[in-house]
Amino acid sequence: MAATPLLEGDRGAGGGRLREARGLALVATLLVLIVMAILVAASVKAAMTAVRTAGLEYHEARVFYASEAGVEAALSQLKLALQDGYLSDTELQDISPPSYEDFSFDSFSVLRIDTAQVEEISDGPYAGLYALTQGVEVYSLASDRGGNVSGVILAAKAQAIPIFQFGVFYNEDLEATNGPPMDFAGRVHSNGNIYLSSSNAWYMEMITTPNKVFHDRKDNHDIKSGVFIFNPETTDSVQLNFDSRTIPGPEAFKAASWTNFAGRLRTDAFNVDSLQLPLPQGVPAIELIRPRETGDGDAERSVKFAWSADTYVQVDFTNLTNYSAVCGGGPPPVSPPPDLPTVTVTRSAGQVPNASQICDMFPFRWSDFYDGREGELKDVLEIDVDAIDNWVGTDPNRTIEVIYVEFTLPVNINVFDADTRDAILDGELNPAVRMINGAELPNRMTVATEQPLYVWGNYNSVDKKPAALAGDGITLLSSVWQDEQNRPTAQAFDDCEGNVSAAFPCAQFLSYASLWRNKTAGETWVNAGVLAGHWPTPCDHEAPGCTGGYADFYGGGIENFPRFLEEWRLGGTRVSLHYRGALISPFTSQQTTGTWNGTYYVPPQRDWSFDTDFRDPRLLPPGTPNVGYVVRTALREAF
C-alpha cells in the first residue's frame, strides 16, 4: 500500500512550531544572560562601593585618631606647664599640635574655662586633697590630603596640689624600715619605688607610686611582717604580705590591693601618675632651696623659697667684721674674740632691723656644737624666734613670714686671721642654721636655706600656727639639748691656739670626736612641714652588681628623715618625739652627706602624724610649693 504524502500545509505548520520553540529558547537564554549580567554588575558595583566605603572609613578613622593625638600632645604639654603650679596665658598659647607628614591641624587651641578655684579632689588616688583647679578645653581639628576632616574636644582640669598636703612625699625612692613603732596618718607618695619592711608600722591613708612597691628592705634582704595598711571598709589595719615582685601582674596586684586595703596601695598597676614638682622642665629639684641668682627666670622666681622671702639674711664669710662690741665673740670661749661673718638683712617691704637688733635676732657662733652623724663642728647662724617676736611686736610693718638665709663662703679658712682660725677646731667651715626659742611663733612662718637646718627644742608647740622648715637636711635637737655637752672644752680651744688651718684640724678636736657620745634626749614637740634632702641607699640589693650591706649603706629611711643626734631613751623607756606636719623630700642632700649607721643616736618613740590643718588651703605655711597634676574630665567629637 502506498504511503500517504504530507500536505504542504501540514509541513509548513510543523516547521513553524519548531522555529517558534527555538526562538523562545533563544529569548530565554538572552534574558538569563541579561539578568546574570545585571546581577554581576550589581555585585561588582556593591563590591566597589564596599571598597570605597571601607577606604573612606579607613581615612576617616585615621584623621580622627590624628585629632585625638592632638589632644594627647596638648595634655602632655599641660603637665609640663603646670610644673610651677600655675598656668599663664603665654604657656597656654604656646601649646602646639604634633607634627605629622600626612595630616595638618587646621584648628588647634587650649583655652581656660572659667576662673581657677580651690576645690577638693573628689576621686582618684588624690581624693580628699585640695587643689587650685583651672578648667581647660583643648580643641583639635585635623585633616588629611584627601580632604577628610575630624575634630575632638577634650575637657580637663589642671590641678596644683600644695606639697604639704602629703604626709610623706619623695621624688626618689622611699624607704621605711623603722625599728620603734611608727603609726603614721597622712598620704604617702613617692615618684620612685617604695620599700616597706618593719615589725611595727601602721599606715592609715593612701600609699601611691607610679613605680613599684617592695615588701623588703632596699639595702639587704630582710622582710618583716609588721607592716599594716588601714582598710576603711573593714575599719581594720591589714598586714602587707605581697608586693610588686610576688604579684607582678597588674590585674592580680589591683585585685589584691582592693581585697586587702580597699585599693589604698597603688602602684604602676593602677597607672598612678608621677607628680610633677613645681619647677620648670630641666631645673633640678634642689633649686627649691637655692639662693636668689641673677639667671633665675620668672618660673624659678615663682617657686624658690629665696624669692618668696620677705626677709633675706646674708651671711658673708668673705667679709669678716669685729662684732665683739655689739654681738660678743663667743661661744666658743676664745680670747681674743674672733671676727664674725658680716650678717645683713634686707626686706621686701616694711622696716629693717638695725645692727644691734640683727645681732639679737640672728646671732652667729663658730664651732657651736658637734654633729655626730656628720663628724664635724657646726658654724651656726641662729634664728632666735623670741627676739624676732620682740622686734615685730604689734607693728604690721615688721611682720616676718618667710625667712631665707644665704651663705657666701671662701675657698677655705686660710683666708682668715689666726684668731678666727683658732675658733674653728676641725679646720673647715661647716655653716648651718638653727632655730632657737621657737616654742611659740609670732605668726605663720617658713624658714629656708640651702645649708643644713637644725631645730633646738619645742617648735611651734604653743598656739600652733602654719609653719615650715626647708633646708639641705633637717636635724631635731631635743628640749634638753645643751651645746656645752656637745663641743670641746675651753681648754681644747686654748691648746689649739695658733695651730688650726685648712690642712690641720686640731688634735684635740680629733680626740674629742673619737670619744664623743650622744646625750640623753628629753620629750619634744615639733609642729611644722619639713622639706629637705635625704641620703638614699645607693642601690637595690637585688640589682646586678649591688653589694648591699647594713652599716654605712642604708640611707636611714623615712624614720630618720628628720635626723637625730641624741639617745632618745631614758633607762629602758623610749623618749617621745611628737611631730605633726608633712615630710617632703624632693632631692638628695648635698651638704648633709654623713651616712646613717645607727651608732651616733638612739631613735625616739615616734608619735608622728600628718598635720590635718594643712588640708585647709588657708592654713598652709607661707611659700608652700605645689605639685602639678592634670586629669581629663570629658572627650567628645567636634561637629
Side-chain angles (χ1 to χ4, degrees):
M1 180 175 183
T4 304
L6 289 174
L7 297 174
E8 186 66 29
D10 290 340
R11 182 183 292 117
R17 286 194 294 272
L18 180 60
R19 285 193 298 270
E20 183 178 347
R22 290 174 178 171
L24 288 174
L26 178 61
V27 170
T29 301
L30 290 174
L31 288 174
V32 170
L33 290 175
I34 291 171
V35 171
M36 289 179 64
I38 292 172
L39 290 174
V40 168
S43 298
V44 170
K45 183 178 181 180
M48 292 178 65
T49 300
V51 169
R52 291 193 187 100
T53 301
L56 182 61
E57 290 177 349
Y58 167 72
H59 289 290
E60 288 178 344
R62 290 188 73 214
V63 76
F64 174 76
Y65 291 136
S67 64
E68 272 197 326
V71 298
E72 292 297 333
L75 197 64
S76 297
Q77 293 171 73
L78 271 173
K79 290 180 179 180
L80 293 176
L82 195 62
Q83 287 182 337
D84 60 358
Y86 174 72
L87 286 175
S88 68
D89 290 335
T90 301
E91 287 173 325
L92 292 178
Q93 293 168 5
D94 287 345
I95 294 176
S96 58
S99 178
Y100 296 132
E101 183 178 350
D102 296 329
F103 301 94
S104 60
F105 289 85
D106 304 313
S107 183
F108 187 89
S109 63
V110 183
L111 303 174
R112 295 180 188 274
I113 304 299
D114 299 323
T115 58
Q117 58 185 353
V118 175
E119 68 176 20
E120 184 177 359
I121 301 174
S122 59
D123 53 21
Y126 311 113
L129 299 179
Y130 284 86
L132 179 64
T133 300
Q134 173 64 65
V136 293
E137 188 173 81
V138 182
Y139 179 66
S140 174
L141 182 71
S143 63
D144 64 11
R145 295 173 178 177
N148 297 292
V149 178
S150 182
V152 293
I153 298 173
L154 171 72
K157 289 182 177 182
Q159 297 175 322
I161 307 172
I163 202 167
F164 285 129
Q165 286 198 16
F166 291 89
V168 175
F169 179 98
Y170 266 50
N171 194 38
E172 302 169 353
D173 287 352
L174 167 62
E175 302 170 68
T177 59
N178 55 289
M182 185 172 70
D183 188 340
F184 193 83
R187 298 296 185 90
V188 176
H189 177 87
S190 172
N191 283 339
N193 295 317
I194 296 178
Y195 296 82
L196 302 174
S197 181
S198 173
S199 297
N200 38 33
W202 291 264
Y203 297 92
M204 305 307 294
E205 297 190 32
M206 189 85 75
I207 301 174
T208 55
T209 172
N211 288 289
K212 308 292 185 184
V213 64
F214 299 117
H215 183 206
D216 196 358
R217 293 178 68 103
K218 183 179 181 181
D219 61 319
N220 67 309
H221 185 64
D222 185 13
I223 298 175
K224 290 184 168 62
S225 59
V227 177
F228 296 86
I229 301 173
F230 183 72
N231 185 329
E233 294 182 356
T234 62
T235 66
D236 291 326
S237 289
V238 180
Q239 180 184 352
L240 176 66
N241 58 10
F242 66 93
D243 64 6
S244 299
R245 286 193 180 112
T246 59
I247 306 181
E251 295 305 317
F253 187 96
K254 286 194 292 184
S257 178
W258 282 112
T259 299
N260 289 274
F261 317 121
R264 283 198 167 193
L265 178 63
R266 300 195 179 190
T267 65
D268 57 347
F270 284 82
N271 295 317
V272 172
D273 274 344
S274 178
L275 288 175
Q276 298 296 326
L277 288 166
L279 289 166
Q281 187 176 15
V283 176
I286 200 162
E287 282 295 312
L288 285 168
I289 62 166
R290 292 272 299 144
R292 296 173 181 174
E293 296 169 303
T294 55
D296 288 340
D298 291 341
E300 286 91 346
R301 290 170 182 250
S302 68
V303 299
K304 291 173 69 166
F305 286 105
W307 287 107
S308 65
D310 55 62
T311 302
Y312 201 86
V313 182
Q314 292 172 290
V315 186
D316 189 355
F317 288 87
T318 66
N319 182 22
L320 300 189
T321 307
N322 187 343
Y323 273 124
S324 60
V326 179
C327 297
V334 179
S335 182
D339 290 342
L340 301 177
T342 301
V343 179
T344 58
V345 175
T346 56
R347 286 176 37 79
S348 57
Q351 299 181 25
V352 178
N354 60 36
S356 177
Q357 292 164 337
I358 289 174
C359 288
D360 292 337
M361 297 161 63
F362 305 105
F364 179 83
R365 309 185 191 281
W366 296 107
S367 299
D368 198 23
F369 62 87
Y370 180 72
D371 184 316
R373 175 167 175 165
E374 299 298 316
E376 58 194 25
L377 289 166
K378 307 306 294 187
D379 305 305
V380 179
L381 180 91
E382 293 188 320
I383 299 179
D384 189 328
V385 177
D386 278 351
I388 290 176
D389 194 12
N390 291 335
W391 182 77
V392 171
T394 58
D395 188 343
N397 290 319
R398 293 187 172 189
T399 299
I400 293 176
E401 290 193 341
V402 182
I403 301 172
Y404 186 85
V405 181
E406 176 185 357
F407 292 84
T408 303
L409 305 176
V411 175
N412 57 52
I413 70 168
N414 288 344
V415 300
F416 301 154
D417 61 30
D419 290 338
T420 302
R421 292 199 305 271
D422 288 345
I424 310 173
L425 292 190
D426 55 358
E428 59 185 17
L429 279 178
N430 299 301
V433 176
R434 182 168 65 172
M435 307 302 299
I436 64 172
N437 300 323
E440 184 172 8
L441 304 181
N443 43 252
R444 66 185 198 135
M445 183 178 289
T446 293
V447 177
T449 180
E450 71 168 332
Q451 300 296 333
L453 180 58
Y454 295 77
V455 179
W456 183 358
N458 296 332
Y459 191 79
N460 195 23
S461 56
V462 178
D463 189 20
K464 180 170 70 71
K465 302 174 181 67
L469 302 162
D472 185 75
I474 305 292
T475 302
L476 303 181
L477 308 176
S478 82
S479 57
V480 300
W481 171 275
Q482 295 183 45
D483 285 347
E484 294 77 11
Q485 296 180 353
N486 289 279
R487 67 163 172 259
T489 64
Q491 184 63 48
F493 286 92
D494 290 340
D495 292 345
C496 290
E497 188 172 334
N499 292 323
V500 179
S501 69
F504 188 79
C506 180
Q508 278 80 353
F509 163 72
L510 298 176
S511 175
Y512 169 83
S514 67
L515 298 173
W516 176 84
R517 295 292 181 271
N518 52 49
K519 310 304 185 292
T520 302
E523 190 171 14
T524 304
W525 285 258
V526 175
N527 297 309
V530 168
L531 186 149
H534 69 284
W535 188 242
T537 299
C539 56
D540 188 314
H541 68 276
E542 291 205 6
C546 182
T547 55
Y550 195 80
D552 294 325
F553 188 83
Y554 177 48
I558 188 64
E559 65 273 17
N560 295 295
F561 173 54
R563 302 170 182 222
F564 310 105
L565 298 175
E566 298 166 89
E567 180 176 354
W568 292 77
R569 180 176 57 194
L570 184 58
T573 304
R574 296 275 181 182
V575 176
S576 292
L577 171 67
H578 307 277
Y579 173 79
R580 298 293 181 272
L583 303 174
I584 311 300
S585 185
F587 50 83
T588 296
S589 298
Q590 302 298 305
Q591 313 296 332
T592 47
T593 57
T595 56
W596 180 94
N597 58 36
T599 62
Y600 56 87
Y601 81 112
V602 174
Q605 177 69 42
R606 298 179 179 92
D607 173 26
W608 291 6
S609 181
F610 170 67
D611 188 343
T612 56
D613 283 352
F614 290 168
R615 288 185 175 140
D616 186 338
R618 298 167 298 179
L619 298 179
L620 285 165
T624 295
N626 297 289
V627 291
Y629 182 63
V630 180
V631 57
R632 44 173 90 223
T633 56
L635 179 69
R636 66 182 189 275
E637 283 192 76
F639 296 99

